[in-house]
Structure formats: structure tokens, C-alpha cells
Amino acid sequence: MLNIPIKDHFRESRLFNARLTVVATVVLVLILALFLRLAYLQVFAHRHFETLSQANRVKLLPIPPPRGLILDRHGFILAQNYPVYTLEIIPEQVDDINALIEELKQVVNLNEADLKNFRKQLRERPRFENLLLRSHLTQEEAARVAVRRTYFSGVELEARLQRHYPLAGLGVHFLGYVARINEQELERIDKAAYRGMRHIGKLGVELSYEKVLLGQVGFEKVETNAHGRSLRILERIAPVAGKNLQLSIDAKLQSLAEQELGKRRGAVIAMDPLTGGVLAFVSTPTYDPNPFVNGIDPDSYHALLNDPDKPLINRALNGLYAPGSTIKAFLGLAAMEKGEFDANKPITCPGWFTLPGSSHQFRDWKKAGHGVMNLHDAVVQSCDVYFYKLAVAMEIDAMKKFLAAFGFGKKTSVDLQNESEGLLPSVEWKQARGQKWYPGETVVVGIGQGPILVTPLQLAAATAALANHGVRPKPQLVRAIVDAKTGAVREMPTEFFTPIPLKDKQHLDIQIQNLVDVVHTNKGTAYRIGYNAPYKIAGKTGTAQVKSIAQGQAYSEKLTPERFRDHALFISFAPAGDPKVAVAVIVENGGHGSSAAAPIARKLMDHVILGKAPTAIGEAGPAIENEE
Amino acid sequence: MDWQRLHLDKTLLFALLGLAVISLFVVYSGSAKDVNATLGHFMRLLLGFAVLIMVAQLRPEIIERWAPYIFIGGMLLLMAVLTIGVIGKGAQRWLNLGLFRFQPSELMKLAVPMMLAWFLARDTLPPTLLRLAAAFFMMVVPAFMIMKQPDLGTALLVFGAGTFVLFLAGIRWRIILLLLTASVIAVPFAWNHLHDYQRQRVLTMFNPEADPLGTGYHTIQAMIAVGSGGIYGKGWLNSSQAHLDYLPESSTDFIFAVFAEEFGLIGSLLLVAIYTLIVARSLLIAYLAKDTFTRLLAGSLSLTFFLSFFVNMGMVTGILPIVGIPLPVMSYGGTSIVTIMTTFGILMSIQTHRKITE
């Protein structure tokens, strides 16, 4: 078997060596190919793979900045941030969401609302985003999630700063609130500036100062592993916190005003007549903004929306009211300023007025009439007939021009958005609506009725202009912007509008004296708040027939008679010689301005001027002759 | 030192020691600084070198005499593993021998070429068609059984080792062409016997980007590792691809990606050079061998070694599909190192006993 011939052995050897040469060549060629491949990957395509490698490992994570705080003038916190633990899920990284939720239920408490909210997000949001499953985890729950983190893929435990309004509903109408960024906002905003953020100012100061409060997003360059878990921070650009807002609002005054209005619907504005700084900005009823921050549940929202008292409406900014007799505070000045009317000539008030050639009687609120009236008496006793005659003498367009100088019919430019303009009617305005102006309309505008509409804020600003001798500061809620880190304070400059043009400055002094007498003489309609006041108040009461307020929502028929009652109004400033505060009060369906609105103003003025709430006003007071 | 007397080949020994030292560093890095894994690798290398030295002392005649028995024993073990696998209803490669686990398919990487070399050396070369058919049968049956385990990588190597013997034995080009044609025809048949994941791997090789998060993921991540290493590399322990878990099997099958990322083109070329040196030296041993059995065996073992390192690097650099073939000596793992070292023990035996025999 092993008998192999010699020549065969050589032949075998030669054959084997030939084959060996072939394979050695093939081996060499293949190794050369490997060389080339390595050179290609590591030299020519190096940049490409380097980039991919970086992209693999480095992620840019946004660090949301803390939003600026909102403080009142004394430093009381109105809006702040506090850390809450949230449990979030990244659907992309989860194989079976339902199974995961079942597992998480063992660890944290999840109720139906949480799950409903989560499923809604799951339908609407991209799969790579963190979706909120539970907010406000307790320390214990957070710890339980933390220790199990490695077992859960796509589950994030985050400590996030959440906006919180510690005083709940206090001042909600000027403060506003933040809430989740919605689809439309997402289209509008600079997405880079909002990276990592979910909230945006929706209303009030939170909306109008959004850019100041927002701050700058910081970034963290982190190394992540294949599972997306951050391993270490490579670089960090710290976020810049939003700037704090110091408001001119006095939270205590605000609280006092809200208490005084109580369950009644209404609005109160108190402002510093010299600077326009708003001290109190009240619309009642209020509501708690906190549930809005992370999305209010539909039931609660509908309850607020359908509440007959309409708490969501900002009455101070958007409530349109007939000014009633408060307009006489301004038109009284017009009587002296305007040539059409002789203010020095007394007239007789029989309790009614008719236009020439008409039998329609315009009634005075005092049926028996006021008798012989000069301008002083007409303002103090709020004589309607006097002002009917003034209105007829002036005519509507002159009245409009005069009142426009006080800022009526225009936005006050307060630092809030969506302010209402009110309405100063004119012949032209009526014609634009395809209707004729009737002389009778001119008559009623003279006593602040008819088509004329003002907002509480406009009334307060106009009152401040009176107090300030015709100088008109722009109403302003934010007093200063404070950089919390450097402590740098940027005071907001006081802006002024064109002053009230006056022929004679004396006229304004006389009118202010008339308004002081409204409060401090026993014929005055507001004597009940003035008889015991330790400082001089200039004021004017008003009682306005009910109009539907803004947004054209008519009151429910079932809820009348109470809702048919007149609105009570009062405007005032004090001390008369050296005004520190101007106040406008409107109490819807409150009845008389003197009894419903004036006492509220008095309490606020006491708080500002005396620094305390006075003892019962008007309860043990004198008999009131004029209760308009 | 008289290496000849110790029956060791100096060139091979130092090249292997060089690889072993490098491998310790790379396994440490690739296993995310796992000291236990590195120590385990070190122990296996020690065992491997011990086996190498022992095998090298055996005279080739003894190896030749044992060849059929080793082959038959290996086949029996392979059948045992398959049977246990059937009972256990899952992939089964290991035979638990109490003290250590043993992979019979690894043994077949040696047993098949030994058996074929022995079988063909019984007659003059080139072999007759009948002998050729018998030899073919002897390598295809175990390769098929290993593929069914399923272990495509080892099956490929066993098949390769057998083919190399046949080729070196001088099988006629006509027959080679015939077999090539036959295998092209056989592709669909083999395809049907591949597991789904094996098919995916083959498909992925042709277009890894088609499914970057699926089966192409490993290829892409390995290429990123190699490519991002650049010329000089990121430095030892700086393979971000491995440490951040982007690379699969970073201390076993994909260890070359870790090495290439950390040591760059310069390191890769040095490593390929060492492997080339080993292959060249082994082929030289085959060339110098004096009888048919040792020639065929040495040639086949050299080429199988080449095949395993080339396929491994080819798969890491994205020119070959991902088949589970570890990088010889470098990869962390059990029986594979012992098999490799046995290979070189045999080669050294062939080299060092030659002159004495003469």
C-alpha cells in the first residue's frame, strides 16, 4: 500500500509545491485587499466615520433655564418655580408600553387621569419625545423608580422646575399663567429658544413679558451609550435664568380689594397717578391658575367656562361698562373748558329734560329735581339734567374729542395683551354702522349712558390724569426687571401720553374741588365715605344701567332680576392735594355707586395712605341724602 | 537556546507570543476593563501554550497514526452534541464534561484535515475520483452537522480545512471547476438549510445600510469603529464604540474593531503583518515537509488559520458577511485558543521532527 515509486514521489512534491504557490498567491492577494480596505476605512473615509462615531456618542441635551420669578412691589412672590419629580416615558425606547405601565404601577401610584393624559400624548406627540406619565412623585416614589431605573428601558425620572402660583387665584387676571406649548405656538415660537421647555406664558404678565421671563437654554454635551443613557458630561453651557419681574402691584392691597369685592362680580383698579404704576388690578371672581400649568382637566375647565359669573373674563381689562355718572367728573371740566356752555350760569333742574320739539322726557335720578344748580352743585349732587343740557350744548363729537384726551375709546397701552378699547360714540361711528345719530343719544351720553363704554382700567387711568393735573402716565404693571444673578435692576421708565389740553389750569383745580366736595360735603353723593376720612378724597359715584359685558355674552335670562340691577361705580383719588392713589371700582349689579363701590375705594385708599384698614366705614355714618 | 531540540519553531513562537501579549491589552479594553475576563484570557493563553509545547513533542507519525481515531471520536461527540441539542430543543455546541465544557466542533477543525491528509496519503496523488468522493464525504458530513448546531463559522472553517487538503492533494482543475459549478447549483439548497439569522447576515453584507438598526447594525458599528480610528488610533482604552456598547461582542468576534479603533491604521497593519508572518511561516513549514501527510496537514492548517483571521477581519471591515469566526489568539473565548495552539503544536512538530527523521 505504501509502495510508492520514486518518480511519483517527485511528481507529488512538484504538484504539491505548484498548488502551494497558487494558494500563497491567493493569500497574498487577499491580504493586500485587506490592507486596501483598512487604508480606505481608516484614511480616506476616516472623517466620515469619525463624524458618525461622534454622533453616536455625543448628544446635545438642552438644559431649560429657570423661569424668572414674579414679585409684588414689596417682594412677595406671586409666581415661582419649584422642583417636582416627574416620571416620563420615551415610547421609542419601549418595546411594550402596556407591560411597562403595568410594571410601573407596582412602583408608583398611577390613576386614571394620569393614564388618560399619557395616552393622549402618546397619540399626539412624536415617539422620541419624553412623555409625562406622572408628575409630583413623592420622595419615596422617586427613590423607588430610581433604584429600578436600570431595569426599565425608556423610563426617565426627571426633576423639573414647575411653575407655581403660591397665592392661587390672587391677581390671576394680571398675572396670567404658563401652560403647555400648543400646536399654534409651536409654529410661531423660535424652537431653538424653547428647547427642552414645555411651557409658555399664556395670559397676563406671564404672556406679555414672556421674553424676559424665559431666559436662555443651556446645553450639556453628554456622552451616551448605545441605549441612549447619558454616561458623562463632556461640556456644559449653563442656562441663563429668566429675569425676575418686580410688579408695581401691592399684593396686600390686591388681596384687600379681592376680599372687599367678595363674591360679587366686579373690577377694581388702583394706580399711582404720578407713575401709572398699577397697585391693584382686580377682576372677580378669580380662579386658581395652578391647574392650568400642566393642563387642566376638561371637566374643571368646562365648569369655569360655564360658570354664570364668568371668572375667566378679565373684567378690569376687557369688561365694557357704561361709565354712568362717573363721566361727570370729566365732562364737568368740559363745561368750563368749552365755549359752547356757560358754566357760571345756574340752571334749574325740574327732575326731567326734553329736547326741543320732542315730548320724550329724560329723567333725572332724583324724581323731584335738584332745583337751581350751578356746576359745583351739579357735580356734587350728580344732577343729570345739568349734564343733559351740557351734552346738548357740546354735541356728541365735541364730547368725544374731549373724552378721548383722557384716553377713553383707546387702549391704555398697559403692559398686558388683548386689552379692550372701549367705545366713544360719534356721529361718524354710527354712520359707519349704517345708522343715523339721534339727538337723544347725545343727551344720555352726557350722563355716561347710551353707547359709551369704558373699561375699569380706562376709568382709573383717566382719574389718574385728573389727579395728576392733566399729566397722563401710561398704566404699567411691571416696575422693574431684576437680574437675579447680578442683582442688576432695570427700572421701567414711566411713559407719558399727551397731557390733557387745558385752556385754564384753574378749571381743573375747580373741578378737583368739586370732586372733593362730592365726598366731603353732606350733599355729596359719596359723603358716607368722606365724613370721617382723615385725608381729602376727590371722587365721583356712578350708577350704570346694565349692559352686557365684553365678548357679547348675554346673561342667562333665568338669573335676572339680580342681574338686571344697576352696576355700581366709583372713581376717586386721594389725598386730593397730593395724590398718591387713584382708584376705580365697578361692582356689577351692585346697585348704588355710593353704597356698593365707594366703600371699597375708601378701604384701598386707607391702606395706601394710612397703611391700615380703617374701622367700619359708613355703618355708623350720617344719614345720606344723596345716594346715587 | 536550541529550539530544534525543544521541538519549537522560534519564528512562530515569538509571533504567537506577540499576538498573545497584544490580545491581553485588547481583551482588557474590549471587555470594558474586566480584570476577570482578562485573567481568564491569560489563563487560556497559558493553557494554549502548554498544549502547543506538548503537541510539538509528538512525532508526526504518531499524529498520523491517531488521525482516524481522532476523527471517529470527533464524529461520535458531534452526534452526541446534536442529540442533546435535539432533546434540549435549542442550539447546542457544548459538551459538558464536568470539569470543563468541550466543543466537539472545534476538535473537528483539526480532525477533518488530519483525517483527509491521512486518507489521501494512503495512495498516490492526485487521488482517484473514488477516493476523492470518499474524502469529500468525510468533510461534508461533519461540516453539515456543525452547520446544523448552528455554527456557520466553524462549519465554514471545517469545510475550508477539508477543501484545502483536497486542493493541495492535487485534485485536477477539471474536477475543481466541476465542484465549483456544483456548489453554485447547491447554493439554493444550502440557503434553505441556513437559519434565518444566518441568511440575514449574508444579505446584510451586500447592503448594510439597508437596515441600519437591524441586522446591518453590527457591520456599520464595526466599520465606524475601524474608520474612526484613523491612522494613529484613539489610544488604548479609548474605543468609544466598544465602551459605549455600540459594538457587539467587543471582546470576542469584534475584538479587531476595538483594536483598530484604538491603534489606528498603524496598529492594524502591524497586526495584519504578524498574522501574515505566521501564515507565511506555516506555509513554509508545509513546503519543507517531507511526506504527503505532513505536507497536506501543514498546508491545510496554515490556510485554515489564514481563512479564520481573514474572514474575521473581513467581517469587521465590512467586506464579508458576519459569520461567527473569532480572531485567532486575540478573541476572548474558550476552546478556540486551545485549538489554535494545537494547530501550531502540530506545525512545530512537523517542522522540528523533519530533520531528525532524515
Side-chain angles (χ1 to χ4, degrees), chain A residues 289-545:
Chain A
N290 287 305
F292 284 87
V293 174
N294 276 324
I296 190 167
D297 66 279
D299 292 344
S300 310
Y301 183 64
H302 283 111
L304 278 174
L305 207 59
N306 298 327
D307 185 331
D309 285 346
K310 304 285 171 201
L312 295 178
I313 286 170
N314 189 339
R315 291 177 161 82
L317 195 66
N318 304 119
L320 294 175
Y321 300 93
S325 296
T326 59
I327 206 72
K328 294 170 187 167
F330 309 98
L331 288 177
L333 183 61
M336 290 179 275
E337 282 283 307
K338 296 291 168 183
E340 301 92 343
F341 190 80
D342 186 359
N344 296 319
K345 187 182 146 203
I347 60 149
T348 306
C349 167
W352 51 268
F353 170 77
T354 51
L355 281 167
S358 162
S359 61
H360 181 80
Q361 284 193 348
F362 295 91
R363 294 179 184 280
D364 194 287
W365 64 269
K366 199 171 182 179
K367 274 185 185 167
H370 290 90
V372 178
M373 292 269 111
N374 60 14
L375 174 63
H376 173 269
D377 297 339
V379 171
V380 169
Q381 297 178 33
S382 200
C383 169
D384 287 344
V385 171
Y386 188 94
F387 282 90
Y388 290 145
K389 290 192 171 172
L390 172 66
V392 170
M394 281 182 82
E395 296 191 344
I396 186 64
D397 288 344
M399 271 197 288
K400 177 189 168 165
K401 198 177 162 215
F402 184 83
L403 290 172
F406 282 89
F408 291 114
K410 266 204 301 271
K411 293 183 179 184
T412 65
S413 303
V414 70
D415 42 349
L416 290 177
Q417 294 187 18
N418 304 318
E419 190 187 356
S420 296
E421 286 187 351
L423 177 63
L424 273 187
S426 64
V427 176
E428 202 182 324
W429 167 77
K430 199 82 190 282
Q431 279 171 349
R433 305 169 77 209
Q435 289 166 317
K436 190 174 172 290
W437 182 266
Y438 295 103
E441 288 176 300
T442 307
V443 177
V444 294
V445 168
I447 61 157
Q449 296 286 169
I452 184 169
L453 292 172
V454 300
T455 68
L457 189 63
Q458 283 175 335
L459 261 187
T463 309
L466 276 184
N468 212 12
H469 291 270
V471 176
R472 294 171 55 215
K474 179 175 93 73
Q476 180 77 18
L477 278 156
V478 173
R479 191 155 75 144
I481 293 171
V482 183
D483 189 324
K485 202 177 170 195
T486 63
V489 177
R490 184 156 68 86
E491 300 272 354
M492 301 302 281
T494 306
E495 288 173 52
F496 293 95
F497 296 115
T498 325
I500 315 287
L502 288 173
K503 276 184 191 150
D504 188 345
K505 291 227 177 242
Q506 286 264 304
H507 291 154
L508 187 54
D509 294 336
I510 293 168
Q511 179 64 359
I512 289 173
Q513 187 54 50
N514 293 343
L515 294 174
V516 170
D517 290 346
V518 169
V519 182
H520 292 280
T521 63
N522 63 358
K523 293 249 178 199
T525 51
Y527 186 53
R528 75 155 65 210
I529 68 156
Y531 76 96
N532 63 351
Y535 51 89
K536 290 286 182 217
I537 302 168
K540 183 72 197 80
T541 55
T543 302
Q545 285 173 10

Side-chain angles (χ1 to χ4, degrees), chain B residues 12-255:
Chain B
L12 277 183
L13 188 68
F14 281 102
L16 289 170
L17 278 174
L19 280 187
V21 170
I22 294 172
S23 76
L24 283 174
F25 284 93
V26 189
V27 165
Y28 181 68
S29 176
S31 65
K33 304 183 192 173
D34 184 341
V35 177
N36 286 334
T38 315
L39 265 180
H41 186 63
F42 179 70
M43 297 308 291
R44 287 200 181 87
L45 284 170
L46 272 187
L47 177 69
F49 277 104
V51 168
L52 182 151
I53 291 166
M54 285 192 296
V55 172
Q57 310 310 313
L58 299 173
R59 298 171 59 82
E61 293 83 354
I62 297 173
I63 298 170
E64 185 172 8
R65 208 178 309 141
W66 286 359
Y69 305 109
I70 294 174
F71 179 78
I72 291 165
M75 286 299 288
L76 290 174
L77 288 171
L78 211 53
M79 279 185 248
V81 160
L82 270 180
T83 318
I84 294 164
V86 170
I87 295 163
K89 283 179 184 167
Q92 185 77 35
R93 301 174 187 182
W94 302 95
L95 213 55
N96 203 331
L97 300 183
L99 275 177
F100 62 101
R101 297 195 300 168
F102 177 76
Q103 219 174 341
S105 54
E106 282 291 328
L107 178 68
M108 292 317 277
K109 288 205 284 199
L110 296 172
V112 166
M114 278 162 71
M115 179 64 193
L116 291 191
W118 174 85
F119 180 68
L120 294 176
R122 296 311 99 203
D123 202 352
T124 50
L125 295 181
T128 61
L129 259 180
L130 191 68
R131 293 189 75 83
L132 198 65
F136 191 73
F137 190 70
M138 281 178 222
M139 77 184 207
V140 166
V141 171
F144 185 76
M145 285 167 77
I146 294 167
M147 194 174 92
K148 276 308 206 188
Q149 282 186 349
D151 183 353
L152 187 61
T154 310
L156 199 76
L157 288 178
V158 168
F159 186 80
T163 312
F164 293 139
V165 176
L166 294 185
F167 180 77
L168 292 173
I171 143 179
R172 290 178 209 291
W173 289 106
R174 281 197 299 248
I175 299 170
I176 294 172
L177 281 174
L178 200 76
L179 284 175
L180 274 178
T181 320
S183 57
V184 168
I185 295 164
V187 162
F189 170 77
W191 185 256
N192 283 332
H193 277 82
L194 287 177
H195 281 250
D196 271 348
Y197 80 94
Q198 291 168 331
R199 283 181 208 165
Q200 271 304 328
R201 282 174 175 181
V202 175
L203 287 177
T204 299
M205 195 256 312
F206 295 109
N207 188 10
E209 276 83 7
D211 185 12
L213 288 175
T215 47
Y217 180 80
H218 294 172
T219 308
I220 289 172
Q221 294 302 338
M223 279 164 64
I224 289 174
V226 175
S228 67
I231 296 175
Y232 304 104
K234 295 177 179 174
W236 184 48
L237 296 180
N238 288 334
S239 164
S240 60
Q241 286 290 99
H243 297 156
L244 304 177
D245 287 353
Y246 288 99
L247 267 182
E249 307 287 328
S250 56
S251 59
T252 56
D253 289 1
F254 282 84
I255 197 157

